[in-house]
Amino acid sequence: MTLQLTQKEKSLLEDQKKHEQICIEKYQSYANQAQDPALKQLFNSYAGQEQQHLNTVNQMLNGQIPNMTSQQNQQSVQSTPTTTSSSSQGAISQSDSTLCTDMLMTEKFVSGAYDTAIFEFADPNARQALNHIQKEEQGHGQGIFQYMQSKGMYNTQS
């Protein structure tokens, strides 16, 4: 089955492609900069998922409807990387906090961009693929938020 894209749909996918490329670059770079091994693991895991998102967007740009069933099975194993939920707040790195804050902002932006794209696509399979990616982006945001909260970097009481 071939995906026939309108000019607007192509443009939206090109934007998402750029977003995914930047996410991959940031997660890989930030994994190398992170002080906490658990944060390194989290960022490396998310970099891999962002690469899968990029592959999906590229498939769609090439007129192919991605098979979300096989991707969902592969990604369900990876979707929740294990972060140590020890609330040892003694060794909080300011640079790790900055990296987390930046990636949380990035995920908020990317998720919102997917939200817009989903509403602009006519093909229900394309919408489903974009919705799947958006849910994973939201999961990345949740994972970063939980990490930050467990380390005392994110105060929800203020």
Side-chain angles (χ1 to χ4, degrees):
M1 182 189 247
T2 308
L3 183 61
Q4 299 295 324
L5 297 172
T6 66
Q7 194 55 45
K8 186 170 191 174
E9 290 169 338
K10 285 180 190 172
S11 177
L12 288 164
L13 285 176
E14 287 294 341
D15 285 347
Q16 294 308 118
K17 179 179 177 175
K18 289 175 191 154
H19 299 161
E20 293 298 346
Q21 289 168 331
I22 289 170
C23 283
I24 293 165
E25 290 172 19
K26 281 176 124 178
Y27 275 126
Q28 289 173 340
S29 174
Y30 289 4
N32 290 330
Q33 295 175 48
Q35 311 264 318
D36 182 2
L39 186 57
K40 285 181 185 291
Q41 178 193 8
L42 189 71
F43 285 168
N44 279 321
S45 172
Y46 290 166
Q49 288 184 19
E50 299 292 355
Q51 182 63 56
Q52 291 175 339
H53 297 169
L54 178 59
N55 295 346
T56 298
V57 170
N58 280 328
Q59 280 183 309
M60 294 173 73
L61 281 167
N62 290 328
Q64 301 167 337
I65 297 176
N67 180 353
M68 297 315 297
T69 309
S70 67
Q71 286 189 14
Q72 287 171 343
N73 291 341
Q74 289 173 350
Q75 292 172 351
S76 64
V77 176
Q78 303 174 358
S79 62
T80 4
T82 54
T83 55
T84 54
S85 62
S86 67
S87 56
S88 63
Q89 298 174 7
I92 298 171
S93 160
Q94 187 59 45
S95 63
D96 281 1
S97 178
T98 301
L99 298 177
C100 287
T101 300
D102 183 53
M103 287 315 303
L104 189 56
M105 287 187 325
T106 300
E107 290 293 359
K108 288 176 183 178
F109 173 81
V110 171
S111 179
Y114 273 108
D115 189 52
T116 299
I118 290 164
F119 281 102
E120 296 291 338
F121 271 74
D123 185 285
N125 293 312
R127 288 172 76 119
Q128 180 185 10
L130 295 173
N131 186 265
H132 173 77
I133 293 172
Q134 183 192 32
K135 285 181 182 175
E136 286 195 355
E137 299 293 358
Q138 291 172 357
H140 296 172
Q142 181 181 7
I144 294 166
F145 167 80
Q146 288 172 339
Y147 173 85
M148 292 175 75
Q149 194 174 40
S150 77
K151 300 294 183 182
M153 297 176 186
Y154 201 109
N155 184 358
T156 56
Q157 302 302 316
S158 55

Coordinates of all heavy atoms in Angstrom, one line a residue, residues 1 13-14 19-20 27 31-32 56 60 68 76 84 94 96 100 103 112-113 115 117 141 156:
M1 N 0.8 -1.2 0.0 CA 0.0 0.0 0.0 C 0.9 1.2 0.0 O 1.8 1.3 0.8 CB -0.9 0.0 1.2 CG -1.8 1.1 1.3 SD -2.7 1.2 2.9 CE -4.3 0.8 2.4
L13 N 6.2 16.4 7.5 CA 7.1 15.3 7.7 C 8.5 15.8 7.6 O 9.4 15.3 8.4 CB 6.8 14.2 6.7 CG 5.6 13.3 6.9 CD1 5.4 12.3 5.8 CD2 5.7 12.6 8.3
E14 N 8.8 16.7 6.7 CA 10.2 17.2 6.6 C 10.6 17.9 7.9 O 11.7 17.8 8.4 CB 10.3 18.2 5.4 CG 10.4 17.5 4.1 CD 11.6 16.6 3.9 OE1 12.6 16.7 4.6 OE2 11.5 15.7 3.0
H19 N 13.3 17.5 13.3 CA 13.2 17.4 14.8 C 13.8 16.1 15.3 O 14.5 16.1 16.3 CB 11.7 17.5 15.2 CG 11.0 18.8 14.8 ND1 9.6 18.9 14.8 CD2 11.5 20.0 14.5 CE1 9.3 20.1 14.4 NE2 10.4 20.8 14.2
E20 N 13.5 15.0 14.6 CA 14.1 13.7 15.0 C 15.6 13.7 14.9 O 16.3 13.2 15.8 CB 13.5 12.6 14.2 CG 12.0 12.4 14.4 CD 11.6 12.0 15.9 OE1 12.5 11.6 16.7 OE2 10.4 12.0 16.2
Y27 N 20.4 13.7 22.2 CA 20.5 12.6 23.2 C 21.9 12.0 23.2 O 22.4 11.6 24.2 CB 19.4 11.6 22.9 CG 18.1 11.9 23.5 CD1 16.9 12.0 22.7 CD2 18.0 12.1 24.9 CE1 15.7 12.3 23.3 CE2 16.7 12.4 25.5 CZ 15.6 12.5 24.7 OH 14.4 12.8 25.3
A31 N 24.2 12.2 26.4 CA 24.6 10.9 27.0 C 26.1 10.9 27.3 O 26.5 10.4 28.4 CB 24.2 9.7 26.1
N32 N 26.9 11.5 26.4 CA 28.3 11.6 26.6 C 28.7 12.6 27.7 O 29.7 12.4 28.3 CB 29.0 11.9 25.3 CG 29.0 10.8 24.3 OD1 28.9 9.6 24.7 ND2 29.0 11.1 23.0
T56 N 10.9 5.8 10.6 CA 9.4 5.8 10.3 C 9.1 7.0 9.5 O 8.4 6.9 8.5 CB 8.6 5.8 11.6 OG1 8.9 4.6 12.3 CG2 7.1 5.9 11.3
M60 N 7.7 7.2 5.5 CA 6.5 7.9 5.1 C 6.8 8.9 4.0 O 6.1 9.0 3.0 CB 5.8 8.6 6.3 CG 5.3 7.6 7.4 SD 4.7 8.4 8.9 CE 3.2 9.2 8.3
M68 N 3.3 -0.6 12.0 CA 3.4 -0.1 13.4 C 3.3 -1.3 14.3 O 3.9 -1.3 15.4 CB 2.3 0.9 13.7 CG 2.4 2.2 13.0 SD 4.0 2.9 12.8 CE 4.4 3.2 14.5
S76 N 8.2 -1.9 22.7 CA 7.6 -2.0 24.1 C 8.7 -2.6 25.0 O 8.6 -2.3 26.2 CB 6.4 -3.0 24.0 OG 6.9 -4.3 23.6
T84 N 17.6 4.2 38.1 CA 17.6 3.9 39.5 C 16.8 5.0 40.2 O 17.1 6.2 40.1 CB 19.0 3.9 40.0 OG1 19.6 5.2 39.7 CG2 19.9 2.8 39.5
Q94 N 24.8 19.9 38.4 CA 24.1 21.0 37.8 C 24.1 20.9 36.3 O 23.1 21.2 35.7 CB 24.8 22.4 38.2 CG 24.0 23.6 37.7 CD 22.6 23.7 38.3 OE1 22.4 23.5 39.5 NE2 21.6 24.0 37.4
D96 N 24.0 18.0 34.7 CA 22.9 17.0 34.4 C 21.5 17.6 34.5 O 20.7 17.3 33.6 CB 23.0 15.8 35.4 CG 24.1 14.8 35.0 OD1 24.9 15.0 34.0 OD2 24.2 13.8 35.7
C100 N 18.9 17.7 31.4 CA 17.5 17.2 31.5 C 16.5 18.3 31.2 O 15.5 18.0 30.5 CB 17.3 16.7 33.0 SG 18.1 15.2 33.3
M103 N 16.3 18.8 27.5 CA 15.6 17.7 26.8 C 14.1 17.6 27.1 O 13.3 17.3 26.2 CB 16.3 16.3 27.1 CG 17.6 16.1 26.4 SD 17.7 16.6 24.6 CE 16.5 15.6 23.9
G112 N 4.3 18.5 20.7 CA 3.3 19.4 20.2 C 3.3 19.5 18.7 O 2.3 19.6 18.0
A113 N 4.5 19.4 18.1 CA 4.6 19.4 16.6 C 3.9 18.2 16.0 O 3.3 18.3 15.0 CB 6.1 19.5 16.2
D115 N 1.5 16.6 17.4 CA 0.0 16.8 17.6 C -0.6 17.6 16.4 O -1.6 17.2 15.9 CB -0.2 17.6 18.9 CG -1.7 17.7 19.3 OD1 -2.3 16.6 19.3 OD2 -2.2 18.8 19.5
A117 N 0.7 17.8 13.3 CA 0.8 17.0 12.1 C -0.3 15.9 12.1 O -0.8 15.7 11.0 CB 2.2 16.3 12.1
G141 N 9.4 12.4 27.7 CA 9.2 13.5 28.6 C 8.9 13.0 30.0 O 9.4 13.6 31.0
T156 N 7.6 20.1 42.1 CA 6.2 20.3 41.6 C 5.4 21.1 42.7 O 4.2 21.3 42.5 CB 5.5 18.9 41.4 OG1 5.5 18.1 42.6 CG2 6.1 18.2 40.2

